[in-house]
Each structure stands twice: as structure tokens, then as C-alpha cells.
Amino acid sequence: MSERVRVLLVDDHRIVRRGLARLLAAEGDIEVVGEAADGVEALELLADTAPEGLPDVALVDVHMPRMEGTELVRRLAVEYPGTAAVVLTGLAEDEHLLACLSAGARGYLLKDAEPEEVAESVRRAARGESVLFGHAAERLIATLAPPPSAPSAGPEAALSPPARHGLTERETDVARLVGGGSTNREIARTLHLSEGTVRNHVTNILRKLDLRDRTALALWYAERS
């Protein structure tokens, strides 16, 4: 990945692309290198781009003419694996969320996401991390989490699952909020911490649990709650 994150915008509404381009350009470390009105146009643009100029991330809408976003995500995963697909859509239905993630999307955001969430999602996807915030995280956890079972007997049962895995009380609080889809900024406000402290806690939690990213942590917490 280059120092500046290169982004391709794929949305059939020009006004949405223009708004996203202005939002991302204001970040300073993100560069919009192309726009496409649908999946067919996006693939044509990529085919005409030299390998060293390919975008790090493609922000993709779901419903578009000629080629749906889900199909574009699938094609990107196969033909341009170096370009991470992040879905940015107004559709909150579980079927779209799961279909896009199954097709290879690195993340799924709703269009009512905060600007900083969109920018942070682009950065994290470019680093190879999974990206889920708010509703998307909650719905994925609800879909994949196993049904609750009766607690086991013995002194271990008195401890919360995070505590049994070596997390401190504060790390447990952070893990719980990550599991609910909160951003670092939201966690910082809730726990009255700085964002830097929250990031350090998340890093320590991932290291202790040997997890790759926040999405894996959210699923880990849901399975043990």
C-alpha cells in the first residue's frame, strides 16, 4: 500500500460520488483516483490502469445498473485482490450484508455513517483489516452468534469469558463496546478515555486473544457473552 490510500468510488449517483470525494480529500492521506457509475464501468477503469496505479480500496454501492455491487465485490476479490472492497450503501437488510461479506467485501457501512467512520474504514481496509460499524456489526454478530447455553458449574463460571482469557476489567469494557459496534471515539466518550488509550487497549486485547482485527474481536465476544 502506498503512503496515501488510493480509493475508487463506485456509485450510480454522481452527487454521492462528489460528496464522498470531497469528504475523503479533506482527510489529507486519502486520494480518490477514480469514479465509476456501476460495476461494469469500474472493471473497465481498472483494466485500463497500470498495476502500480490500482486503488487500495473500492467504495462500492449495492444496487447499481448493469452490475450489482455484490457481483463487483466478487469480481474484485478474484481479479484485483489488492483492491479491498468496502460496501457503502443505504441498505440495512441482513441478506445484503451477508452476501457482500461472503463475496469478499472487507467491510460494510451504511450511508448514514459518520464521515470519520468512512475515512477510518478506508484506512483499515487498505491495511487488510475487516471493517464493520454500528448496525452492520450488530447484525452480523446476531446472525453468527450461537444460541445461549446454560452456564457451566464451578468457580470458572463466576468469571466473565473475557476475564477467563486474561483481560483486565477495563479491557473487558472496551471489548464489550467493540462487540456492540462502537468506534474508538464512541468508546473514548463512553469510558471517559482518550482515543489513544482506547487504541492501546484494543491492540492489547487483540494480542492477548490472538485475534486479527476488531471484527474478529466482536465475533469472539458475541460467542462468549
Side-chain angles (χ1 to χ4, degrees):
M1 186 186 72
S2 58
E3 184 176 346
R4 288 167 61 87
V5 180
R6 299 164 58 84
V7 179
L8 170 66
L9 304 178
V10 189
D11 193 295
D12 57 328
H13 293 98
R14 187 175 185 275
I15 190 169
V16 172
R17 300 197 306 271
R18 290 290 81 207
L20 285 171
R22 286 194 295 270
L23 182 158
L24 295 173
E27 292 295 313
D29 62 334
I30 300 174
E31 178 185 5
V32 175
V33 296
E35 298 182 22
D38 55 51
V40 173
E41 185 178 346
L43 291 174
E44 290 173 347
L45 188 155
L46 291 172
D48 292 334
T49 303
E52 62 272 14
L54 288 172
D56 303 302
V57 178
L59 277 177
V60 179
D61 192 12
V62 173
H63 280 334
M64 297 182 293
R66 299 202 292 175
M67 181 184 292
E68 290 281 280
T70 306
E71 177 60 21
L72 175 58
V73 169
R74 185 175 294 109
R75 294 280 298 273
L76 289 175
V78 174
E79 299 173 28
Y80 301 97
T83 299
V86 174
V87 174
L88 181 63
T89 180
L91 300 173
E93 290 86 351
D94 294 351
E95 61 180 290
H96 297 296
L97 167 63
L98 295 175
C100 289
L101 293 179
S102 297
R106 297 299 303 174
Y108 193 102
L109 295 170
L110 297 184
K111 287 183 177 177
D112 62 359
E114 295 295 327
E116 59 267 23
E117 291 179 350
V118 178
E120 184 61 17
S121 297
V122 166
R123 296 186 186 99
R124 285 167 49 185
R127 294 196 298 264
E129 301 175 14
S130 299
V131 182
L132 290 175
F133 286 118
H135 169 88
E138 293 168 2
R139 294 312 307 150
L140 181 62
I141 291 169
T143 301
L144 299 182
S149 56
S152 58
E156 280 284 299
L159 294 174
S160 68
R164 291 203 297 273
H165 287 77
L167 300 190
T168 65
E169 182 177 352
R170 180 59 81 195
E171 288 169 346
T172 299
D173 292 337
V174 172
R176 172 176 54 81
L177 292 170
V178 171
S182 296
T183 64
N184 284 348
R185 179 171 298 181
E186 291 167 340
I187 295 172
R189 285 199 298 260
T190 300
L191 300 180
H192 305 291
L193 302 170
S194 70
E195 288 189 58
T197 298
V198 172
R199 284 193 294 270
N200 289 338
H201 280 312
V202 172
T203 298
N204 289 336
I205 293 167
L206 296 178
R207 175 180 54 78
K208 287 182 178 181
L209 302 179
D210 194 25
L211 298 173
R212 176 174 177 174
D213 52 39
R214 295 168 70 98
T215 301
L217 172 58
L219 295 175
W220 182 93
Y221 193 89
E223 291 170 354
R224 291 159 178 80
S225 299

